Amino acid sequence: MTLEQNVVEQCAQLLYAAEQEVREVPRITDDHPQMNVADAYRIQERLRELKQAQGLRIVGMKMGLTSHAKMQQMGVDTPIYGFLAEDNAVPDGGVVEVKHLIHPKVEAEIAFVMREPLSGPDCDAAKVLAATDFVLAAIELIDSRYENFRFDLPSVIADNTSASRYVLGSRATAVAGLDLETLGVVLERNGQVVEVGAGAAVLGNPAQAVAMLVNMLAARGQTLPAGSVVLSGAITAAIPVAAGDNVQVRADGIGTVSMRFV
Ligand code: OOG
Ligand code: MG
């Protein structure tokens, strides 16, 4: 049994309001235990429509839970995807006010910018690399709308995979000659190294995560447009941030990226 359309609408409205009003809500599967992954993507798509109706442009997509560090941290075992709207973007070195956030955490990621559109169902890492314009070091700020950042798979998918803000580095690097698997990443908070990792933590190769995104989109009859920004998923566990914090990601060969919290 799939979730009724009025329940999909209710859940999307609840999550939309929670983000706008900066407040936590109970996990939606507590009230709707029958919700499955397909229902959850319907709620996410409705949330996306609500934002587009506000005039917001969709600039790209994100993969989540693509590394063991993240799956373990969140107790969920399947990669998931969400969308990025234009108001999620923060400039490199930019400042974010924590009063607009519920319980923010940051993660080190590698971002792809696509030159060519991609469609599934048999996308693979080689096709992703051939369609990529460039890659960048990135910070994703996640901010689950659920109490205590606690969720299950359908709840987090419906909540657009906790998407909140992202920052792209200023140095665009072509993928030719880059080894995305051994590419080392350091996440620093206030000048202290708090997490380290390598690209291979993300499904063996971050390009593989983008391929998986394209194939998951194909299963819902969707494609990845040219020009999309794609966050390939956290390489490290996510760390909490507070006002006064300065966060920097340094990625081997593709540069640095930072953001600050007040
Ligand atoms: C879900 C989003 C995970 C990633 O990169 O793994 C994610 C969450 O942990 O809240 O963005
Ligand atoms: Mg992420």
Side-chain angles (χ1 to χ4, degrees):
M1 245 286 283
T2 59
L3 218 56
E4 283 159 24
Q5 192 54 34
N6 68 314
V7 177
V8 168
E9 182 66 28
Q10 255 173 38
C11 290
Q13 294 284 354
L14 176 77
L15 291 164
Y16 183 74
E19 183 178 5
Q20 299 295 311
E21 296 160 17
V22 196
R23 62 179 168 86
E24 300 177 319
V25 294
R27 237 179 13 181
I28 54 177
T29 45
D30 291 349
D31 275 344
H32 306 288
Q34 76 279 30
M35 183 185 299
N36 61 28
V37 164
D39 295 325
Y41 279 112
R42 282 167 61 211
I43 297 171
Q44 184 192 113
E45 284 161 16
R46 183 63 193 129
L47 191 61
R48 174 178 169 140
E49 284 172 6
L50 291 173
K51 295 200 176 194
Q52 287 175 303
Q54 291 301 303
L56 289 174
R57 211 162 44 85
I58 304 303
V59 293
M61 302 297 291
K62 58 164 284 191
M63 279 297 271
L65 307 177
T66 47
S67 68
H68 289 296
K70 281 291 305 185
M71 288 191 228
Q72 226 164 44
Q73 182 181 28
M74 305 320 293
V76 172
D77 63 1
T78 314
I80 55 181
Y81 70 81
F83 63 86
L84 302 171
E86 61 184 325
D87 65 336
N88 296 132
V90 174
D92 189 11
V95 178
V96 171
E97 290 182 87
V98 294
K99 71 170 186 220
H100 299 307
L101 305 168
I102 305 167
H103 37 210
K105 294 186 196 176
V106 293
E107 329 179 298
E109 305 212 8
I110 295 172
F112 289 67
V113 176
M114 308 314 300
R115 186 184 47 238
E116 313 284 350
L118 280 171
S119 49
D122 37 45
C123 189
D124 58 27
K127 289 178 185 164
V128 169
L129 293 173
T132 299
D133 200 353
F134 50 84
V135 293
L136 302 153
I139 300 170
E140 185 181 26
L141 185 159
I142 52 172
D143 195 24
S144 173
R145 268 54 69 170
Y146 299 119
E147 291 163 355
N148 306 315
F149 233 108
R150 270 192 51 251
F151 48 69
D152 49 22
L153 195 61
S155 305
V156 67
I157 291 168
D159 184 30
N160 194 22
T161 67
S162 311
S164 178
R165 302 284 191 281
Y166 70 92
V167 191
L168 301 180
S170 310
R171 184 155 120 211
T173 307
V175 286
L178 262 189
D179 182 349
L180 291 172
E181 298 176 10
T182 60
L183 194 154
V185 170
V186 172
L187 175 61
E188 294 175 347
R189 183 175 50 199
N190 305 326
Q192 302 276 321
V193 174
V194 281
E195 292 283 340
V196 296
V202 173
L203 298 179
N205 186 323
Q208 188 55 47
V210 181
M212 188 172 193
L213 165 69
V214 171
N215 292 331
M216 288 171 87
L217 286 172
R220 298 191 57 77
Q222 298 167 17
T223 61
L224 183 67
S228 297
V229 173
V230 182
L231 295 179
S232 56
I235 292 171
T236 62
I239 59 152
V241 286
D245 284 346
N246 216 311
V247 171
Q248 177 164 249
V249 165
R250 290 191 285 140
D252 192 24
I254 63 171
T256 66
V257 53
S258 71
M259 71 192 303
R260 211 151 56 76
F261 296 89
V262 295

